[in-house]
Amino acid sequence: MDTQDIRENQNTQNSAENKKAVAWLTLGHGMADSYSGFINPILPFIAANIGATLTAAACAMSASQLFSSMMQPVFGFIADKWQKRFFIFWGTILASIFFSLTGLVHNIWQLALCLIIGGVGVGFYHPQATGFVVRYSGKKLSEYMSIFIAAGTIGYSIGPIISSTITQFFGVTKLPFAAIWGIIFALLVFFCVPKINVNNFVKNEKSFKTTLTDIFKNKTVRILIMVSALKSLVSSSFSILMPFYWKEHGYNAFQIGFAVFLFLTIGALGTYLSNRYEKIIGYKNVFYTSLIVPFILTIIFVSLIKISTLLSFILFILTGFVTMLSVSINMVMAQKTMPQYKSMISGFIGGFSWGIVGIFLPLIGFVAQNTGIIKTLVIISFIPFVLSYFVRYLPDKQPDKAEV
């Protein structure tokens, strides 16, 4: 066998190993996010069980998102320096155990503690896993990233089905059983995901302060973080507030969970199709669609909600689809813009942006409680509509490729 044949065999082997790594990371993303979406449809029932108000429950969710999301850039910075699978393994363990323990809490403080630790677990997983996907994807980064992110959204959508089914048919006290498959999967990841060959990757040798300064000096990245935060604002508000609205109107836990499941699953389809949509109309127009159209759909949605349940529900689902169209494109562009900070960039786009929204969740809950959920959703969807103006300042074309 000559040198060229040996090189081709090595490339084939590396390609197979890379695909295996991406596959497990993608499955893990779905598993971790299934616990992240676990709480939304059953939060009204947990709140009622412990005597907590909508505002107090929103504060507990806010604390969870803050610890999960705002810490992701820090976890990503560490992951860029420490090429271990620590965050991927322990992230799944913490998320599965502590989100499931919410069924046993007796007061708002215990609920907040479980949500915070579970949120930290989710925060552990995302930056490192996304950074590894960038490294293992090669020329198929856009394709693999859309699948990776879609898997997370699908997991996030399945979580409500699992939690609402358990709550509806067995009661909230049986939620801890949902931790079992998360723990099993974490063990499978530990044994099946290839260990990282640190010699193949260049570590970030800069300090946290220097890295942070580099990132926020970049105008493109700043706008991408804003776009990601606006997407998170709409999707979080709809998936958290609408369950309270539906509970007030007599829907049970399973019905609410199924509605949230469809909202997020169709959103995942939008994420998966975004790469193809971008090729047709260009990435800027995908951003405009994702930021402007949800407001239009929301106006029609609230106009029909008391007239036609079916039509309003279809519009609710379409809002999820359109909102999520920009997610994978946003992440890929950020990675290509600053490829030297793979995991940390992921922490900002996929985590920090959610944390920004988390800061405002108590205010959103307070406004919804005092002025009405429907009016609050209209206001929220109007914000991305206005701020879509800043998309014009993004480059006309994406960078050609990221360094992997």
Side-chain angles (χ1 to χ4, degrees), residues 119-197:
V120 168
V122 175
F124 269 10
Y125 187 89
H126 283 86
Q128 187 172 59
T130 308
F132 286 163
V133 168
V134 174
R135 292 185 171 104
Y136 287 128
S137 293
K139 295 180 180 179
K140 294 186 175 182
L141 176 59
S142 295
E143 177 185 346
Y144 286 171
M145 186 62 73
S146 65
I147 296 172
F148 173 78
I149 295 178
T153 308
I154 291 172
Y156 191 71
S157 69
I158 292 174
I161 288 290
I162 296 171
S163 61
S164 60
T165 300
I166 294 173
T167 300
Q168 180 67 29
F169 297 105
F170 303 101
V172 293
T173 57
K174 299 298 188 291
L175 286 175
F177 285 105
I180 295 173
W181 48 83
I183 296 171
I184 292 173
F185 190 85
L187 293 172
L188 288 172
V189 167
F190 180 80
F191 288 110
C192 297
V193 171
K195 290 185 178 181
I196 307 304
N197 185 352

Side-chain angles (χ1 to χ4, degrees), residues 9 35 64 139 187 222 224 239 251 261 274 282 291 294-295 297 309 334 341 356-357 360-361 379 398:
N9 287 338
Y35 290 102
S64 176
K139 295 180 180 179
L187 293 172
R222 291 201 304 269
L224 293 174
S239 61
Y251 293 91
F261 164 76
S274 61
L291 296 174
F295 174 64
L297 293 175
T309 302
Y341 306 130
I356 295 172
V357 175
F360 292 99
L361 272 182
I379 295 169
Q398 290 201 45

Side-chain angles (χ1 to χ4, degrees), residues 155-263:
Y156 191 71
S157 69
I158 292 174
I161 288 290
I162 296 171
S163 61
S164 60
T165 300
I166 294 173
T167 300
Q168 180 67 29
F169 297 105
F170 303 101
V172 293
T173 57
K174 299 298 188 291
L175 286 175
F177 285 105
I180 295 173
W181 48 83
I183 296 171
I184 292 173
F185 190 85
L187 293 172
L188 288 172
V189 167
F190 180 80
F191 288 110
C192 297
V193 171
K195 290 185 178 181
I196 307 304
N197 185 352
V198 298
N199 295 322
N200 291 341
F201 304 126
V202 178
K203 295 182 180 180
N204 173 24
E205 300 295 345
K206 295 183 179 179
S207 68
F208 181 80
K209 181 179 179 180
T210 302
T211 303
L212 196 65
T213 302
D214 286 349
I215 289 173
F216 276 96
K217 277 184 177 179
N218 191 295
K219 182 179 72 173
T220 297
V221 172
R222 291 201 304 269
I223 296 175
L224 293 174
I225 291 173
M226 181 201 73
V227 170
S228 183
L230 293 172
K231 178 273 302 177
S232 302
L233 175 66
V234 173
S235 59
S236 291
S237 298
F238 271 79
S239 61
I240 291 174
L241 293 181
M242 282 307 297
F244 282 90
Y245 178 86
W246 285 320
K247 184 177 184 296
E248 289 175 2
H249 288 75
Y251 293 91
N252 62 40
F254 181 77
Q255 290 171 324
I256 295 172
F258 187 70
V260 175
F261 164 76
L262 288 178
F263 175 79

Side-chain angles (χ1 to χ4, degrees), residues 45-60:
F45 299 90
I46 295 176
N49 196 42
I50 62 177
T53 64
L54 189 159
T55 303
C59 285

